[in-house]
Amino acid sequence: MVYKNITIVAIILSIIAAITCNFVLGIEVDENLGIDTPEMLNNSTLQVLILIQRYSWPVATLVFIYAMYQFYVIGSEVLDHKILGQRLIVGVSIFMVIIQCLPLMYAFLLV
């Protein structure tokens, strides 16, 4: 795969951003799926961004599995599907970095 290094770096950055967001913002999730953030960051937009960040992992995993199916299984016979699968893999990994960094960027803009 041509963009293997970019994909690996993007996935590692998205995992680091998700962990960092929980530590920096001090996010706690209660039993009723409510999000408790510090008082100065108690904002509905930030809560929506955090929910998007948290629930983007299952969706991205499903799309990533489909992209790998396109790249490895169907792409072994048809070159167009291999190129499409490679684009999807790189696109999903870069999209995850952006989604995982959005709450941090928004919180730093507020403060």
Side-chain angles (χ1 to χ4, degrees), residues 20-73:
T20 305
C21 183
N22 287 332
F23 284 124
V24 170
L25 297 177
I27 299 170
E28 296 180 12
V29 178
D30 63 0
E31 296 83 23
N32 299 326
L33 291 177
I35 297 174
D36 293 332
T37 55
E39 289 296 323
M40 66 181 185
L41 295 176
N42 198 1
N43 190 342
S44 60
T45 305
L46 182 63
Q47 290 180 356
V48 169
L49 288 175
I50 291 170
L51 285 175
I52 290 171
Q53 176 196 26
R54 185 159 291 136
Y55 294 113
S56 66
W57 284 102
V59 174
T61 302
L62 291 175
V63 175
F64 197 70
I65 290 171
Y66 174 73
M68 291 181 73
Y69 173 75
Q70 286 280 338
F71 183 75
Y72 288 112
V73 178

Side-chain angles (χ1 to χ4, degrees), residues 69-85:
Y69 173 75
Q70 286 280 338
F71 183 75
Y72 288 112
V73 178
I74 298 175
S76 63
E77 297 176 5
V78 181
L79 182 63
D80 292 338
H81 289 283
K82 189 167 191 157
I83 294 170
L84 176 68

